[in-house]
Structures are given as structure tokens and as C-alpha cells.
Amino acid sequence: DVKVTQSSRYLVKRTGEKVFLECVQDMDHENMFWYRQDPGLGLRLIYFSYDVKMKEKGDIPEGYSVSREKKERFSLILESASTNQTSMYLCASSLRGAANTIYFGEGSWLTVV
Amino acid sequence: AQTVTQSQPEMSVQEAETVTLSCTYDTSENNYYLFWYKQPPSRQMILVIRQEAYKQQNATENRFSVNFQKAAKSFSLKISDSQLGDTAMYFCAFMASNTDKLIFGTGTRLQVFP
């Protein structure tokens, strides 16, 4: 079974802190994604990586950056957390190619106070 | 730009009954894929069913089936013989064939009652 693991399920951070959300997949997938999920807004793509060190902005990249130094790991970074970044963050991965299923992690609930 | 619209924020159904969740989308692409994902409470999102736009036949997976109307840009999900375990958030999603990225709707929260 494909496993996408998000290291932190629940985090509480203070405004202005630097926050790292880590995601690891074990199926040698080329693609990795970070989505943000908010009630009434569905899932919105923050960043997409199609290979090591390669990244592409999604629909809402402002306030976020990413790092992909190894194929299996994709990190989302909030350089200076703000209260409007309180949300559920979902990591996902897939093989390259539109026909392939995208697999999701369990999500990380981030609260910024 | 592609958009996905789910007009039903919440639905409920009695166990063993049938329920249909609606989804419409907008695109100028001719080749694409459509998906329904299920997100149970506090659990990870999983793929329920997938439809290739070039296939006329509606996809079916056990109790789950879709009604794909390409001209109308409609992609509804029918759940037959609903079970308590079907209680979840359901997301409709679109992927153009020249990209690997999903575009999601806003979701429909489905509650199955005993």
C-alpha cells in the first residue's frame, strides 16, 4: 500500500514563528503536493514538486515555501506564521502522468495563535 | 482556467437508501479526468472512483457509480445501499490530461443515518 506520512497531525504555533510541515512517501513517486483545506473552500494547491529540487507554485503560494532535497520528502515552510494560515494541510504524492492516482496523507492541523 | 462546483454543502441519507451527489465543472480541455474522493472524519482522503473523459461508459466501483454527461459538464456520484461507513466529506476533482494537478470542488458533507 502507498503510504504518505505527515509527521505532525496537530500543531499549535505562535504568530511570527517559522513552521515546518514534513511529508514522506514510500512509493518512489515523482510528484508531491501540498494542499490547504478550509471549510467552504475545498482543497487549494499551495505548491507542487515534480522532481527533486523542482517546484511549481500552485494557486495560493503566498506566505509559503517548499523544499524537496530527496525524492521521498517534501517540506512545507511557513516563514513567518500568521493567524490566517490556521488550517488543515494535506500532503499528497503520485507517479508522473495524469492517469495516475494521487494519494493523500492524513493531514496536519495547524493552529496559529 | 478550470473550475469545479459542488452545489450541495451537506446531504443526508438513510442507511440502505440511494443518494446522488452533484458536481459540475468548467473547462475548455477536451481530454481530462474526473474523480470523486472521500474523506472520512479524521481519516485520510481516498479515491472512490475515476472517469476518463474519452470514455462514454460511466465508471462503476461496487456501490459507487457516476453519471458523466460530457456535453453538460456534469459528473454526479451515486451511492447505492448507503452504509454508515459512507459518512464522509466527498470531493469532486478535475485533472487535465496535460497536467498532474487536481482541481477540487468545495466538497459535500454526507451523513448516513441508521
Side-chain angles (χ1 to χ4, degrees):
Chain A
D1 275 357
V2 174
K3 196 159 179 68
V4 180
T5 303
Q6 296 183 231
S7 54
S8 303
R9 290 298 309 276
Y10 303 96
L11 306 95
V12 179
K13 298 293 181 180
R14 295 198 178 276
T15 300
E17 272 193 80
K18 190 169 186 176
V19 180
F20 292 87
L21 299 180
E22 307 286 348
C23 176
V24 176
Q25 50 93 3
D26 65 356
M27 284 302 291
D28 203 35
H29 286 171
E30 294 91 358
N31 296 331
M32 294 190 76
F33 309 83
W34 276 106
Y35 284 90
R36 172 176 170 161
Q37 182 178 356
D38 298 288
L41 296 177
L43 278 75
R44 294 176 291 167
L45 182 64
I46 305 172
Y47 266 98
F48 163 54
S49 171
Y50 49 92
D51 205 342
V52 175
K53 297 189 187 295
M54 306 305 288
K55 63 185 180 186
E56 193 175 297
K57 290 181 180 179
D59 300 317
I60 53 165
E62 298 79 17
Y64 304 94
S65 62
V66 290
S67 173
R68 192 155 179 214
E69 296 296 319
K70 293 185 178 182
K71 191 174 186 180
E72 67 271 19
R73 188 180 296 271
F74 192 36
S75 303
L76 180 69
I77 304 156
L78 288 67
E79 294 289 342
S80 177
S82 63
T83 54
N84 63 12
Q85 293 179 308
T86 291
S87 188
M88 159 84 109
Y89 291 88
L90 288 170
C91 177
S93 72
S94 73
L95 291 168
R96 193 169 294 148
N100 292 298
T101 300
I102 293 182
Y103 296 90
F104 286 83
E106 291 188 322
S108 297
W109 285 97
L110 172 66
T111 301
V112 183
V113 298
Chain B
Q2 292 91 1
T3 59
V4 178
T5 301
Q6 294 180 250
S7 58
Q8 305 153 315
E10 294 184 352
M11 297 274 288
S12 61
V13 64
Q14 195 132 31
E15 206 174 3
E17 297 294 309
T18 295
V19 64
T20 299
L21 308 185
S22 301
C23 174
T24 58
Y25 60 95
D26 190 26
T27 184
S28 57
E29 302 283 340
N30 195 44
N31 297 318
Y32 51 87
Y33 301 85
L34 295 162
F35 305 82
W36 279 98
Y37 274 85
K38 170 185 177 182
Q39 186 181 43
S42 300
R43 293 175 59 190
Q44 70 192 115
M45 186 123 61
I46 57 172
L47 178 66
V48 175
I49 199 165
R50 169 171 52 201
Q51 175 80 42
E52 291 87 352
Y54 62 85
K55 288 186 177 178
Q56 290 190 332
Q57 188 171 6
N58 288 325
T60 299
E61 289 285 344
N62 301 313
R63 298 182 295 107
F64 298 87
S65 61
V66 298
N67 183 5
F68 173 47
Q69 302 288 329
K70 190 172 184 179
K73 295 180 181 173
S74 170
F75 183 61
S76 61
L77 175 70
K78 185 172 84 170
I79 306 174
S80 304
D81 185 26
S82 296
Q83 300 176 359
L84 296 178
D86 295 334
T87 291
M89 196 76 172
Y90 287 82
F91 290 97
C92 179
F94 170 98
M95 184 189 288
S97 61
N98 59 357
T99 180
D100 291 3
K101 293 177 281 187
L102 280 170
I103 298 169
F104 285 89
T106 51
T108 297
R109 186 176 302 280
L110 177 67
Q111 180 75 49
V112 181
F113 291 97

